[in-house]
Amino acid sequence: MTRRPHPFVEARFEHQLELVRPGGGRVEVPALPAGYTLRSFIGDDAAAYEDLFALAWVDTGTLAHTRAYALPDGFVVVEHDATGELVSSCVAFAPESPERHPSDGSLGWLVTDPGHGGRGLAKVVAATVTNRLVDEAYACPWLGTEDDRLVAISLYLGMGWRPSLYTDGMAARWRAIFGRLGAEFTPEICVPGDL
């Protein structure tokens, strides 16, 4: 069976959006639905992971970097028990951005197979990774995303990630995103970019 990819989201701006979690505590990890198993990535998962990854991004060759910078037990996947396919994943990265975030880890590469959407799998892996970052006691974990990834942005906001105003124009972009989400935007929920 052919897996249906997500619609391609093109970067429309020079700078990605960033969300941060300064001083945030652990979040609740929802129960995984029956028929799925949450586990850490293993070497034998490489081909299955690349198939899953390709459902959301056109980037290639990222797996070696991901494995090199993922925190121990920070590269999580959800396996569909009946098929053995990987159907959701997220990664907790060690610090890797010396210019902007030299001492803080990040959440990255959240993806769920659209054929398994609506079951809360993305929330399970994102919450697991968020807690992994909390366990490392980073002062200000961060993540980058694109303006049109509204489902992911809504998920992040619901887990206490906050918009970062790290460069010019971010407040206007966040205001537009909140409008698209049907939510009220107030600058007080944002974090200045100099954290």
Side-chain angles (χ1 to χ4, degrees), residues 94-145:
E96 59 171 330
S97 179
E99 300 83 30
R100 291 226 357 96
H101 304 280
S103 302
D104 292 310
S106 63
L107 179 152
W109 299 130
L110 172 63
V111 59
T112 296
D113 181 330
H116 295 265
R119 294 175 175 92
L121 304 179
K123 188 168 186 179
V124 169
V125 295
T128 300
V129 164
T130 296
N131 288 342
R132 183 66 187 88
L133 293 167
V134 170
D135 291 347
E136 287 294 311
Y138 293 120
C140 192
W142 66 280
L143 66 87
T145 192

Side-chain angles (χ1 to χ4, degrees), residues 78-89:
V78 171
E79 182 176 338
H80 183 233
D81 297 339
T83 63
E85 289 182 331
L86 298 186
V87 295
S88 191
S89 183

Side-chain angles (χ1 to χ4, degrees), residues 9 15-16 21 23 25 30 35 41 53 55 59 68 90-91 109-110 117 134 136 160 168 171 178 184-185 191 194:
V9 175
H15 299 286
Q16 279 194 311
R21 267 187 114 246
F41 175 93
F53 187 91
L55 297 177
D59 304 63
C90 194
V91 183
W109 299 130
L110 172 63
V134 170
E136 287 294 311
D168 291 341
F178 272 68
E184 181 182 355
F185 175 81
V191 175
D194 55 1

